[in-house]
Amino acid sequence: MLTRQEIGDSMLEIVKGDITVEETESIVNAANDRLSPGGGVSGAIHRAAGPMLWQECKKHNGCATGEAKLTGGYNLKADYVIHTVGPVYSGSRDDAGKLKSCYYSSLCLASDNGIKSISFPSISTGIFGYPVREASQIALGTIIDYLKTHKEIKLVRMVLFSTGDYETYRTSLEEVLGEDL
Ligand code: AR6
């Protein structure tokens, strides 16, 4: 399952898959504020990368919600992991801004480090409880806005773990692009 959309000089792809086997230069981890392995996609990334990833994460002294930190990828195919901490969904107005900041900070960190391709999981929509439909619109809107003004990032992949999430993101992509017309 793959949906592709050109945004300026860059490509946005929505795929169903496992982010730990992605071959983009970087993958994003939906981390916790201590950057410890935890469960969900973070646990899977740490298992696939090996114990050296946690050793490097410890040196960062954690990460605030909405911010992002860079490490190596160790045993992953990706050279880098960008760790960002999504908001725990509370239903308050602050949630959207914090989630937007996760995507924006991760993309900025990639740009600052000359990283040209990046894969995202659906941040905050698992253990942190953010409704997928709302989250998908924030994720795609932020990525599309960024790609329009930052040509250095050539490929962004949204990697969804379930068919349902893939379909939700695909529908949201059409809506977000429709708003721009
Ligand atoms: N590839 C792609 N997506 C995945 C994978 C995978 N291998 N595994 C799970 N997902 P979650 P959060 C999806 O809970 O909500 C951790 O314990 C999953 O289906 O991993 O941001 C951290 O340490 C869901 O759609 O992240 C934090 O404490 C999405 O990834 C907390 O969970 C995000 O689910 C972060 O919670």
Side-chain angles (χ1 to χ4, degrees):
M1 289 179 174
L2 170 68
T3 301
R4 308 185 83 212
Q5 177 67 47
E6 270 183 24
I7 310 287
D9 294 338
S10 311
M11 187 62 74
L12 170 60
E13 296 181 346
I14 297 175
V15 287
K16 184 187 170 220
D18 176 354
I19 203 166
T20 65
V21 299
E22 279 295 318
E23 295 184 1
T24 44
E25 226 179 317
S26 64
I27 64 170
V28 175
N29 179 20
N32 59 52
D33 59 5
R34 290 175 301 127
L35 298 182
S36 66
V41 71
S42 176
I45 289 171
H46 276 270
R47 275 193 301 280
M52 291 300 291
L53 179 59
W54 172 218
Q55 294 308 316
E56 187 180 352
C57 281
K58 281 181 193 167
K59 295 179 191 160
H60 279 289
N61 277 322
C63 182
T65 301
E67 293 183 4
K69 299 270 176 89
L70 185 71
T71 68
Y74 301 96
N75 296 336
L76 296 167
K77 288 175 182 156
D79 294 331
Y80 301 98
V81 181
I82 293 171
H83 305 262
T84 188
V85 183
V88 177
Y89 186 70
S90 67
S92 83
R93 281 191 190 175
D94 293 348
D95 296 338
K98 287 178 184 163
L99 187 61
K100 188 178 171 68
S101 174
C102 287
Y103 287 93
Y104 184 73
S105 305
S106 298
L107 289 161
C108 289
L109 196 53
S111 290
D112 290 348
N113 287 278
I115 296 168
K116 294 184 170 50
S117 60
I118 179 167
S119 295
F120 282 98
S122 180
I123 298 163
S124 279
T125 65
I127 293 163
F128 283 176
Y130 213 115
V132 181
R133 193 158 163 68
E134 279 173 58
S136 64
Q137 288 175 342
I138 293 165
L140 295 170
T142 308
I143 291 167
I144 289 168
D145 282 351
Y146 193 89
L147 290 181
K148 281 180 182 166
T149 48
H150 297 78
K151 299 187 184 313
E152 67 277 8
I153 303 221
K154 298 296 177 205
L155 172 65
V156 177
R157 280 163 71 85
M158 270 307 314
V159 182
L160 290 322
F161 209 42
S162 70
T163 305
D165 286 355
Y166 171 81
E167 294 297 347
T168 302
Y169 270 77
R170 221 170 53 113
T171 305
S172 290
L173 178 63
E174 283 170 18
E175 288 169 1
V176 171
L177 291 172
E179 282 167 14
D180 280 357
L181 294 176

